[in-house]
Amino acid sequence: MNLSVKREDLVDYELGGNKWRKMKYNLEAATQQNHNTLLTFGGAYSNHIYATAAAGKRLGLRTIGIIRGEAHNPLNPTLQFARDCGMQLEYLDRTRYRNKTGPEFIESLRKKYGRFYLLPEGGSSTLALKGCAEIIEEIDENFDFICSACGTGGTLAGLISGLKAQHKAIGFAVLKGGGFLSGNIQNFLQQANAESSASWQIKTDYHFGGYAKTKPELWTFIEQFKKDFDIPLDGVYTGKMFYGLFDLIKTGYFPKSSRIIAIHTGGLQGNLGFNKN
Ligand SMILES: *Cc1c(COP(=O)(O)O)cnc(C)c1O
């Protein structure tokens, strides 16, 4: 058995990880359409909010972040960073947040902020798949399995779209009730016209209680992983994926000669919100 890690986290601390891959072609489209403003949505610790703010600052684009829930002062490290990058923050209560993609609400945002390029929550759009497929192109060793953490499934869909028939993808759901992910991924692939002959499946048993929920056992694993391999993991996504992956290896899931690639999708900024870094 051979396990390699594709370190997307090392591409760039602020922009690194899958959120940058997902944004890349969206930013290109925004520029082509002469937009000077990006508007997007996210939770208060969102890696996507963080990366959008960083990208906006570097590219000289105005950014607006619609944040789920109430404002808290002082700002948490994620939102403080976003604001330092110049992002305008607006808070939306949870009920209204759920309906944030309705045409009336979007229209009210346009009235308020003027013309903007809309990035969906988590950055998962058709164009995001194309950016994530490029992760596969950069892998120059042969492999049988590719592994990634799944939130919306957009990243895994993009990875799948870049795979060949002999490859298998495994997604690790970081939310409770990850059964919805298979349908999501199928939809993403269809919308992007990016069907693939590779097989894939989602593991739903490694969510540790739900999205952004953790247990001491997970932090122990993350600390040991850092000691053993000198690779930092985050508590929301990559920690859960590697925990699950190691469990599958231990329980004999993989044939002996398997070559596995795990994608480190970044997200390390999120550890600051848990007072871990
Ligand atoms: C957002 C995120 C994911 C999940 O990506 P999806 O495309 O929503 O499935 C995985 N890892 C990290 C570090 C992330 O920030």
Side-chain angles (χ1 to χ4, degrees), residues 41-42 66-69 92-103 105-106 121:
F41 306 97
I66 311 290
I67 310 300
R68 181 182 62 231
L92 209 57
D93 65 72
R94 278 154 207 274
T95 315
R96 285 198 298 152
Y97 190 87
R98 237 170 271 134
N99 303 317
K100 64 188 175 301
T101 52
F105 183 64
I106 300 293
E121 183 172 33

Side-chain angles (χ1 to χ4, degrees), residues 18-19 22 47 122 124 149-156 234 237-238 265-267:
N18 66 334
K19 295 303 181 288
K22 292 169 94 170
N47 293 330
S124 287
C150 289
T152 63
T155 300
L156 196 75
D234 80 296
Y237 294 101
T238 56
T265 43

Side-chain angles (χ1 to χ4, degrees), residues 7-274:
R7 298 287 306 271
E8 290 292 296
D9 61 312
L10 292 179
V11 174
D12 181 307
Y13 182 82
E14 290 180 356
L15 276 180
N18 66 334
K19 295 303 181 288
W20 163 245
R21 298 282 186 174
K22 292 169 94 170
M23 221 182 311
K24 183 178 164 195
Y25 288 104
N26 279 297
L27 293 175
E28 201 177 274
T31 319
Q32 273 165 6
Q33 295 162 26
N34 287 317
H35 282 281
N36 58 19
T37 303
L38 302 171
L39 182 141
T40 197
F41 306 97
Y45 296 93
S46 163
N47 293 330
H48 172 64
I49 289 289
Y50 188 96
T52 303
K57 182 175 177 200
R58 289 206 200 170
L59 298 174
L61 297 167
R62 179 164 81 123
T63 53
I64 299 160
I66 311 290
I67 310 300
R68 181 182 62 231
E70 280 136 44
H72 291 282
N73 276 310
L75 293 175
N76 75 38
T78 304
L79 295 182
Q80 186 62 52
F81 172 85
R83 199 161 72 192
D84 291 345
C85 287
M87 183 177 258
Q88 210 170 320
L89 301 173
E90 162 133 4
Y91 299 87
L92 209 57
D93 65 72
R94 278 154 207 274
T95 315
R96 285 198 298 152
Y97 190 87
R98 237 170 271 134
N99 303 317
K100 64 188 175 301
T101 52
E104 280 144 53
F105 183 64
I106 300 293
E107 190 47 41
S108 75
L109 291 173
R110 292 209 197 276
K111 285 216 179 85
K112 189 160 177 189
Y113 295 111
R115 194 170 170 263
F116 55 74
Y117 186 90
L118 183 77
L119 285 167
E121 183 172 33
S124 287
S125 65
T126 304
L127 289 173
L129 268 62
K130 188 176 165 194
C132 292
E134 290 181 352
I135 297 175
I136 302 290
E137 285 169 30
E138 287 176 13
I139 298 172
D140 47 19
E141 53 187 87
N142 293 323
F143 64 92
D144 305 300
F145 292 92
I146 194 117
C147 300
S148 178
C150 289
T152 63
T155 300
L156 196 75
L159 294 170
I160 291 167
S161 73
L163 294 178
K164 306 239 159 46
Q166 73 267 26
H167 296 138
K168 295 177 195 69
I170 305 175
F172 293 83
V174 304
L175 309 89
K176 197 150 69 181
F180 73 92
L181 277 167
S182 294
N184 264 21
I185 289 167
Q186 255 149 14
N187 286 342
F188 282 133
L189 287 168
Q190 269 162 18
Q191 279 160 20
N193 235 330
E195 257 100 334
S196 155
S197 46
S199 57
W200 52 274
Q201 60 170 297
I202 309 294
K203 296 289 172 197
T204 55
D205 293 336
Y206 302 107
H207 55 71
F208 285 86
Y211 183 73
K213 299 266 184 354
T214 66
K215 292 188 174 147
E217 191 189 344
L218 179 64
W219 291 114
T220 306
F221 174 82
I222 289 172
E223 276 155 34
Q224 192 60 45
F225 197 91
K226 177 93 186 12
K227 277 192 205 132
D228 291 345
F229 307 109
D230 199 24
I231 299 178
L233 303 176
D234 80 296
V236 180
Y237 294 101
T238 56
K240 293 181 183 180
M241 173 193 66
F242 276 103
Y243 186 100
L245 177 55
F246 275 37
D247 189 56
L248 292 181
I249 291 172
K250 222 169 22 198
T251 52
Y253 176 86
F254 296 101
K256 276 217 165 44
S257 59
S258 299
R259 294 158 301 180
I260 306 164
I261 308 256
I263 312 291
H264 192 313
T265 43
L268 296 170
Q269 70 87 22
N271 284 357
L272 296 171
F274 294 104

